[in-house]
Amino acid sequence: MLLTLSTTHTPATDLGYLLHKNPERPQSFELPFGLAHVFYPEASASRTTAALLLEVDPVALVRGRPSSGGGQGGPLEQYVNDRPYVASSFMSVALSRVFGTALSGRSKDRPELAEQPIPLSARLSVLPCRGGEVFLRRLFEPLGYTVTATRHALDETVPAWGDSRYFTVTLEGQVRLGDLLSHLYVLIPVLDDDKHYWVGDEEVEKLLRHGEGWLATHPEREQIARRYLRHRHSLAREALERLAGDEAPEPEERQEARNAEEAVLESRLSLNEQRLQTVMTALQEHGAARVVDLGCGEGKLIKALLRDRRFTEIVGMDVSHRTLEIANDRLGIERMPDLQRQRVKLLHGSLLYRDQRLAGFDAATVIEVIEHLDMPRLAAFERVLFEYTRPGLILLTTPNAEYNVRFTSLPAGTFRHRDHRFEWTRAEFEAWAASMCERYGYTVSFRPVGENDAEVGAPTQMAVFTR
């Protein structure tokens, strides 16, 4: 199995310093499953190419394993397979063992160059692509690569058999070498959709380490996590929630307890129902048909929207996989008729990163979300909402801090929910909304949610942003 790395950076021979491998001296490395050889087919100041040739020994793969004794052909399959000839998790292991320092983004002799994007090209002679060329491009093109893929026939002597799932793939881009190696390390086994070793908690740590700086914002991060972790649901869910960083949800039991406290506090006012009705009314007034609910929680607004056929596309996004599972169950999405099911979609994702899936909606709803964000994360969310998602209508609700004195069971100076990072007065909320309008080209009006107290206002305040 051959991987080549080329650069036209001047001088191109600096690639040897970045890889910590001398272009003038071929080297070989013993691995548990075979040998890895590093050599340079070309090495000049204008262009240098390093090659990693991986020799996988089929016998070494099964040495020491107990006989499967399983289904027909099981023992033979351990020896007769495509593993010696294709890029797979064996290649990822070789990258980490042979180019470990470069993979970590370090260079003893050229530290400044290791931090610098340079023109790089990576060519994999045979890469399995379960999902085809479309999926291959969906993995690498969002990372900035120009992708060239040539598909191999299943058997060139028998054209009627058609194409195989194997491609020769070239990736070209202006990128740091450490980033390129990290992308290959993670995405090669994702495309192969297999690993040659047991996947446990350590693999979550590897995924997060090598995915740092790019995986959290990748549009295919859910598929990447599932495949990289061999479809072990619990591990994939842990990885995705940790990818959200500081936004990762609390343990389920603690979050449910805190939500219950807030629900009891507001129950006599029926605030949740009034919030949903106020939002629904505003969406109907503005003629919105395609709506995304950011921080959708367990899907209460989505359920209300589904009852109204004017809403043709309804998308909910939340950072918590567990919450989305609850929403999916309570909405009964799998049990819906086809036409109904086509109207609704639940997405796992962070509200702090740009996400192309959120673009193009008529309206976005943000119900009791922003008060859970500290100021640095609120600033990131502002850009996601107003600059990148940028719907024509934004409906955003948050508690009115002035009204808290009317909750007799709430100690003075405390928030309604222990996870709240702030609660704004009406003047503070209006000042923030005005700054969003000035910065991003919206206008805003305000509506009370709940009974409007003459002294302290309504318990919840809603801003209606229009672009």
Side-chain angles (χ1 to χ4, degrees):
M1 174 52 224
L2 183 66
L3 164 68
T4 60
L5 302 168
S6 303
T7 185
T8 55
H9 165 80
T10 304
T13 48
D14 276 351
L15 182 61
Y17 292 106
L18 293 177
L19 291 172
H20 291 255
K21 300 294 180 288
N22 189 335
E24 298 181 0
R25 185 167 62 89
Q27 294 178 261
S28 296
F29 303 85
E30 289 191 9
L31 299 172
F33 44 79
L35 290 172
H37 309 282
V38 178
F39 56 95
Y40 288 75
E42 57 181 339
S44 68
S46 59
R47 181 180 174 86
T48 293
T49 297
L52 174 61
L53 179 63
L54 187 60
E55 288 188 285
V56 175
D57 180 357
V59 176
L61 296 184
V62 296
R63 187 178 292 124
R65 287 186 183 180
S67 176
S68 68
Q72 183 177 0
L76 180 62
E77 186 181 358
Q78 297 181 45
Y79 294 92
V80 183
N81 53 59
D82 65 358
R83 299 297 86 179
Y85 313 109
V86 304
S88 66
S89 57
F90 293 111
M91 178 59 75
S92 294
V93 171
L95 287 173
S96 66
R97 299 283 185 91
V98 178
F99 295 143
T101 302
L103 179 62
S104 68
R106 296 180 286 115
S107 172
K108 178 182 177 182
D109 297 302
R110 297 289 190 274
E112 72 290 340
L113 187 59
E115 294 297 322
Q116 177 184 335
I118 61 174
L120 285 169
S121 172
R123 184 179 185 272
L124 289 152
S125 56
V126 185
L127 178 63
C129 297
R130 299 178 191 271
E133 184 176 348
V134 172
F135 185 55
L136 167 71
R137 293 184 178 278
R138 279 164 42 196
L139 290 184
F140 285 105
E141 288 182 344
L143 298 170
Y145 295 105
T146 299
V147 179
T148 303
T150 303
R151 193 164 194 165
H152 295 282
L154 193 61
D155 188 330
E156 293 180 355
T157 66
V158 189
W161 286 3
D163 291 329
S164 72
R165 65 171 184 268
Y166 304 104
F167 290 77
T168 293
V169 176
T170 302
L171 310 172
E172 297 175 285
Q174 191 85 10
V175 61
R176 297 189 310 167
L177 177 61
D179 291 338
L180 171 59
L181 295 176
S182 292
H183 299 154
L184 293 173
Y185 178 92
V186 171
L187 297 180
I188 286 174
V190 167
L191 281 162
D192 187 34
D193 201 13
D194 194 13
K195 281 196 171 181
H196 70 276
Y197 54 84
W198 171 254
V199 170
D201 293 336
E202 289 184 359
E203 291 304 297
V204 175
E205 301 302 328
K206 291 179 185 178
L207 176 62
L208 297 178
R209 182 168 69 253
H210 295 295
E212 185 177 1
W214 62 272
L215 183 54
T217 59
H218 198 292
E220 297 295 329
R221 57 186 171 272
E222 295 179 44
Q223 185 80 296
I224 291 170
R226 283 197 295 269
R227 286 191 173 204
Y228 184 89
L229 297 166
R230 293 189 70 174
H231 301 276
R232 292 192 59 188
H233 178 74
S234 60
L235 295 181
R237 184 170 70 182
E238 177 189 349
L240 289 166
E241 292 188 348
R242 288 179 60 186
L243 275 174
D246 290 339
E247 195 192 4
E250 291 183 289
E252 177 187 344
E253 298 81 1
R254 190 186 312 167
Q255 182 66 35
E256 289 181 355
R258 294 188 178 187
N259 289 342
E261 291 176 11
E262 187 177 25
V264 169
L265 184 70
E266 297 181 346
S267 60
R268 69 178 180 84
L269 304 176
S270 302
L271 262 185
N272 187 55
E273 291 78 6
Q274 293 185 64
R275 275 192 290 261
L276 296 181
Q277 186 55 56
T278 303
V279 169
M280 285 283 294
T281 299
L283 289 170
Q284 293 162 350
E285 290 174 354
H286 286 82
R290 302 178 64 245
V291 180
V292 57
D293 186 20
L294 300 176
C296 65
E298 298 175 2
K300 293 179 180 178
L301 176 63
I302 294 172
K303 186 174 183 178
L305 293 172
L306 280 168
R307 298 192 192 105
D308 190 330
R309 294 184 180 180
R310 284 176 287 192
F311 301 109
T312 58
E313 184 177 358
I314 306 160
V315 172
M317 174 178 273
D318 204 276
V319 71
S320 169
H321 259 297
R322 175 57 182 159
T323 299
L324 291 174
E325 289 171 354
I326 294 173
N328 185 77
D329 291 342
R330 292 186 176 178
L331 292 169
I333 291 178
E334 279 76 18
R335 301 186 298 275
M336 290 179 181
D338 289 345
L339 290 178
Q340 182 85 322
R341 188 166 58 246
Q342 291 170 9
R343 293 171 59 207
V344 62
K345 182 185 296 184
L346 299 178
L347 302 176
H348 176 266
S350 169
L351 303 183
L352 308 182
Y353 298 106
R354 182 176 184 174
D355 194 322
Q356 294 179 344
R357 298 175 297 176
L358 303 181
F361 285 87
D362 301 331
T365 57
V366 188
I367 302 176
E368 308 296 284
V369 169
I370 63 169
E371 61 273 9
H372 294 267
L373 305 176
D374 55 30
M375 289 304 143
R377 291 191 293 156
L378 177 60
F381 176 62
E382 291 167 1
R383 294 197 67 189
V384 169
L385 177 60
F386 291 97
E387 182 176 352
Y388 301 136
T389 304
R390 199 167 173 74
L393 173 70
I394 298 172
L395 304 177
L396 189 149
T397 76
T398 192
N400 169 20
E402 297 167 79
Y403 193 89
N404 288 352
V405 296
R406 297 292 187 257
F407 294 112
T408 55
S409 61
L410 186 66
T414 58
F415 296 148
R416 299 183 198 178
H417 191 296
R418 283 181 284 169
D419 189 47
H420 287 184
R421 298 300 186 262
F422 61 85
E423 289 178 2
W424 279 334
T425 65
R426 286 169 292 174
E428 289 170 334
F429 185 44
E430 291 172 9
W432 173 82
S435 69
M436 294 301 100
C437 293
E438 181 179 358
R439 191 180 309 166
Y440 298 108
Y442 280 79
T443 59
V444 66
S445 61
F446 301 92
R447 298 187 186 182
V449 179
E451 184 178 352
N452 203 358
D453 187 288
E455 294 182 13
V456 297
T460 292
Q461 45 194 338
M462 182 172 82
V464 180
F465 295 92
T466 53
R467 177 168 55 80

